[in-house]
Amino acid sequence: MKKEFLDLGRHPIANAFLKEGDFDDEFLFDLKVVFDTELKFVSLKNFVEPEKIFNDDYPYHTSNSFPMVKHFKDVAEMLKKKFNPKEVLEIGSNDGPFITNFDKETSVCVEPCSNFSLKTAHMGYQTYNEFWTTELSEKIKNDGHVDFDLIYAANCICHIQDLDDTFKAVKNLLSKDGVFVFEDPSLLKILERNSYDQIYDEHPHIFSITALDNILKENGLIIFRVDNLSVHGGSNRIYAKHPNIPSDNIIEYNVEENLQREDDFGLNEFKTYQDFAERVEKSKNDLIELLTKLKDDGKRIMSIGATAKSTTVFNYCGIGTDLIELITDTTKDKQGMYAPGSHIPVVSRESVNLNDYDYIFLGAWNFRDVIVDIESEFVENGGKFITHVPKVEIVN
Ligand code: JHZ
């Protein structure tokens, strides 16, 4: 049974940046969140058609979140060492920061956004410009790729609505003792840190290990290891395989530890989600109060990082140019555009003199240390940052 616990109001597509003339035609939907009391699973109540989100204009280039390039290089090295995979498949390869660490001849990419699939194809990787489905897995098989020793996906599986089909497709292409490794934001971390801004159209599901354990088992795969990661404000890397492989039947203790930690926090209880909803509302009120007060005191506020997350914050809190004048972002495809829903202009970092501003809201709070470090001159000149995670506060 699915029970609703959070209503964040009307929202646009989190990465659908707009040109000025397009404001009136903006697509909006009700962003509500439900808890499945049987599978212990958190999902959006209303899914948005994937083609509306992941298309040729999709602007999130993983490589622009530049600390992530090192992250994916490190993951690739670790996986090579640990599993020595011969054939590798990446689902949701984006602009290639993971797959480029593997041989072109033995690697395959799947990527529905053609701006990215063309990129990895140009680099020489066989790339399927399609959504991940069992149908596609059959096609890949028919093309001669029978088995993959490593199937990897980062910030992608929680973007797919039909998880049964997703895991069936994985099972179809995973070699007998192959590993399926995927990382996505952690539900536990979101609840602990009150980072409700991980909730948006691109994330139809928000994963706990508990829910994944249930769903993967139902689809004939088992989790044998979990890594807790700090990226994206707290993510989990799940390692799954076919069950009953005699050569390696060990389920590492950290799976049980993670399940226990989630149970101890209350992830299996509906009340925990109701409490979270109350904290989310408080965060909204605190942020509006702080920004309004600063503005009334004549302060100027901008934001760094035109993130999907900040689309949720600005639309849920009703923040527009009255409170935040502009957003800088390193992504060329976002620059010169307007943020979804809030219509705050997005510009390049180079076009702004930060010293004209008193406060910077951290739209990319997950890169707080990197950004504060890069913008040390702003801090030396008395500028301050604002974050809302884990609570609304002025930092530095
Ligand atoms: P970042 C995206 O979410 C969408 P977002 C997606 N759904 C998902 O799951 C996660 O990623 C993983 C810019 N930037 O990574 C670059 C600066 O301007 O937090 C990016 O546009 N200056 C796939 O959008 C944005 O901020 C900087 O110094 O919430 C960061 O986006 C740095 C470091 C980044 O993901």
Side-chain angles (χ1 to χ4, degrees):
M1 186 181 149
K2 289 182 182 165
K3 290 171 84 173
E4 183 180 321
F5 62 89
L6 185 60
D7 181 353
L8 294 171
R10 300 281 288 167
H11 281 250
I13 289 176
N15 264 312
F17 291 83
L18 304 158
K19 296 197 186 81
E20 198 163 0
D22 295 343
F23 294 172
D24 291 344
D25 298 331
E26 197 165 17
F27 170 83
L28 299 173
F29 73 106
D30 289 325
L31 185 57
K32 295 180 177 177
V33 195
V34 296
F35 177 62
D36 181 327
T37 51
E38 196 189 319
L39 288 171
K40 313 293 178 198
F41 195 31
V42 169
S43 305
L44 298 191
K45 185 169 184 182
N46 309 303
F47 294 156
V48 175
E49 244 178 282
E51 290 79 3
K52 273 199 160 76
I53 306 171
F54 303 107
N55 48 46
D56 308 347
D57 298 323
Y58 185 67
Y60 180 76
H61 299 241
T62 305
S63 301
N64 276 110
S65 292
F66 49 89
M68 296 306 290
V69 175
K70 181 177 179 321
H71 170 78
F72 288 118
K73 189 171 188 310
D74 292 348
V75 184
E77 291 311 320
M78 180 275 288
L79 292 173
K80 276 187 204 169
K81 234 190 219 157
K82 219 172 161 60
F83 302 109
N84 191 23
K86 285 181 196 67
E87 302 268 341
V88 181
L89 171 79
E90 185 180 10
I91 312 169
S93 41
N94 198 277
D95 59 355
F98 175 79
I99 205 69
T100 44
N101 297 289
F102 292 88
D103 286 346
K104 293 177 181 116
E105 291 70 31
T106 52
S107 307
V108 171
C109 304
V110 173
E111 171 53 62
C113 306
S114 69
N115 48 342
F116 300 131
S117 67
L118 283 172
K119 224 170 171 176
T120 48
H122 276 306
M123 291 175 197
Y125 290 87
Q126 181 173 9
T127 307
Y128 290 85
N129 178 213
E130 290 188 44
F131 286 97
W132 177 248
T133 57
T134 43
E135 206 182 321
L136 176 64
S137 74
E138 281 303 319
K139 184 168 161 187
I140 296 176
K141 239 184 190 173
N142 291 336
D143 287 349
H145 301 281
V146 181
D147 281 338
F148 291 91
D149 310 307
L150 171 64
I151 299 182
Y152 180 77
N155 301 300
C156 174
I157 301 299
C158 78
H159 293 63
I160 307 177
Q161 296 171 12
D162 187 345
L163 292 176
D164 288 335
D165 185 72
T166 297
F167 294 139
K168 277 192 184 85
V170 167
K171 203 171 158 65
N172 198 17
L173 286 179
L174 192 64
S175 68
K176 193 168 70 61
D177 41 17
V179 284
F180 171 40
V181 180
F182 62 106
E183 45 187 89
D184 285 297
S186 150
L187 177 65
L188 177 63
K189 284 290 158 209
I190 291 171
L191 265 66
E192 274 179 356
R193 314 196 69 202
N194 217 26
S195 47
Y196 67 88
D197 52 357
Q198 288 288 7
I199 301 167
Y200 48 86
D201 58 303
E202 284 182 32
H203 293 167
H205 310 291
I206 301 190
F207 291 150
S208 63
I209 308 298
T210 310
L212 283 172
D213 195 46
N214 291 332
I215 297 162
L216 281 160
K217 265 187 199 140
E218 281 191 350
N219 286 288
L221 290 166
I222 53 163
I223 300 177
F224 67 93
R225 180 188 165 100
V226 176
D227 294 339
N228 304 123
L229 312 171
S230 61
V231 292
H232 291 296
S235 301
N236 289 317
R237 182 182 298 132
I238 318 293
Y239 299 69
K241 64 183 183 76
H242 295 291
N244 308 320
I245 303 297
S247 58
D248 179 16
N249 223 357
I250 296 160
I251 297 182
E252 295 188 25
Y253 180 60
N254 61 21
V255 179
E256 189 49 46
E257 269 179 339
N258 272 278
L259 293 172
Q260 190 58 54
R261 203 177 304 136
E262 291 186 352
D263 192 34
D264 290 347
F265 188 85
L267 286 198
N268 295 322
E269 305 300 325
F270 185 63
K271 169 86 172 62
T272 304
Y273 300 94
Q274 289 174 306
D275 294 347
F276 170 63
E278 279 176 23
R279 295 197 300 278
V280 170
E281 194 175 352
K282 178 174 175 353
S283 175
K284 166 182 165 168
N285 294 336
D286 290 351
L287 185 60
I288 296 170
E289 194 182 309
L290 175 63
L291 297 179
T292 308
K293 184 183 174 310
L294 294 174
K295 213 63 199 171
D296 289 348
D297 290 347
K299 305 295 183 199
R300 294 188 68 186
I301 312 167
M302 55 166 279
S303 180
I304 289 185
T307 56
K309 296 184 289 289
S310 61
T311 297
T312 292
V313 176
F314 296 159
N315 285 280
Y316 173 55
C317 299
I319 293 166
T321 45
D322 52 331
L323 294 175
I324 291 186
E325 292 179 42
L326 56 84
I327 309 170
T328 65
D329 198 285
T330 48
T331 311
K332 293 233 163 0
D333 290 352
K334 297 180 185 176
Q335 295 165 6
M337 307 287 271
Y338 293 82
S342 67
H343 305 162
I344 301 173
V346 183
V347 297
S348 71
R349 165 65 189 84
E350 297 73 36
S351 66
V352 179
N353 179 1
L354 295 200
N355 296 325
D356 291 343
Y357 293 84
D358 303 289
Y359 292 89
I360 295 175
F361 177 74
L362 287 163
W365 55 265
N366 43 319
F367 296 120
R368 171 171 156 178
D369 293 347
V370 176
I371 293 170
V372 171
D373 194 43
I374 295 173
E375 305 303 356
S376 56
E377 196 190 314
F378 170 72
V379 179
E380 279 155 24
N381 289 336
K384 291 194 169 20
F385 290 92
I386 298 169
T387 188
H388 67 292
V389 177
K391 62 179 179 17
V392 174
E393 61 181 335
I394 294 171
V395 288
N396 296 324

